[in-house]
Amino acid sequence: MTDTPDNAAPAAAGAPQQQQITSRVLAQYIRDMSFENILAQKGVKGDAQPEIQVQVNLDARKRTADHQFEVITKLNITSKTKAANEPLFVLEIEYAGVFHVEGVPEEQMHPYLLIECPRITFPFLRRIVSDVTRDGGFPALNLETIDFLALYRAELARRAEADKKTVN
């Protein structure tokens, strides 16, 4: 009789095998970017205490190659003066990542692409936003971490609400 470690026991007959998830970043790049320094163009009267507003949108699409997806994080950042609500700058950027993803069940692919993939590319996007705002003549804007899970859930809730309204 040979000794076998407990963890080497054969899998239970008929038990479904958990497929290994593999994910790799193949590329990251800026798809589109626009920075408008309105302060330099028009000037601002009085105290220019800024108020920053950040809007985030996500998009994912299958590419022609097997298991490849492009995930795009779109930011629209506006800065206005608190007192007079005059615009200081506008930054619009679309940052894409190309991912090779295998082993994710079909019903979980959508949340995986719109939650996990943006988490991977976000630090690079944050750095670009910081550099662009600094190079544009403003203090470097260091974005807070975005909770992509909460963003995904909010979008699902918004769509469910919109579906209710169209049914009624």
Side-chain angles (χ1 to χ4, degrees), residues 55-153:
Q55 294 178 342
V56 182
N57 288 303
L58 300 169
D59 190 18
R61 59 181 67 122
K62 175 96 175 82
R63 293 173 54 109
T64 54
D66 285 346
H67 308 291
Q68 285 190 14
F69 301 87
E70 181 181 52
V71 179
I72 304 158
T73 304
K74 302 172 186 178
L75 298 180
N76 186 330
I77 304 169
T78 56
S79 177
K80 297 180 179 182
T81 60
K82 284 185 180 178
N85 204 30
E86 293 176 311
L88 298 172
F89 72 81
V90 176
L91 171 59
E92 296 173 340
I93 184 167
E94 292 184 10
Y95 191 74
V98 177
F99 295 85
H100 180 95
V101 180
E102 288 186 69
V104 176
E106 189 64 35
E107 67 275 4
Q108 295 175 5
M109 186 61 79
H110 190 255
Y112 185 87
L113 292 173
L114 295 180
I115 297 169
E116 294 305 319
C117 294
R119 280 185 189 162
I120 294 168
T121 58
F122 181 73
F124 302 95
L125 176 56
R126 179 190 342 222
R127 174 65 190 265
I128 292 167
V129 168
S130 176
D131 288 349
V132 168
T133 53
R134 184 197 63 231
D135 293 348
F138 295 91
L141 176 59
N142 295 310
L143 295 174
E144 296 288 326
T145 301
I146 296 172
D147 184 350
F148 290 103
L149 176 59
L151 194 65
Y152 183 78
R153 286 179 176 161

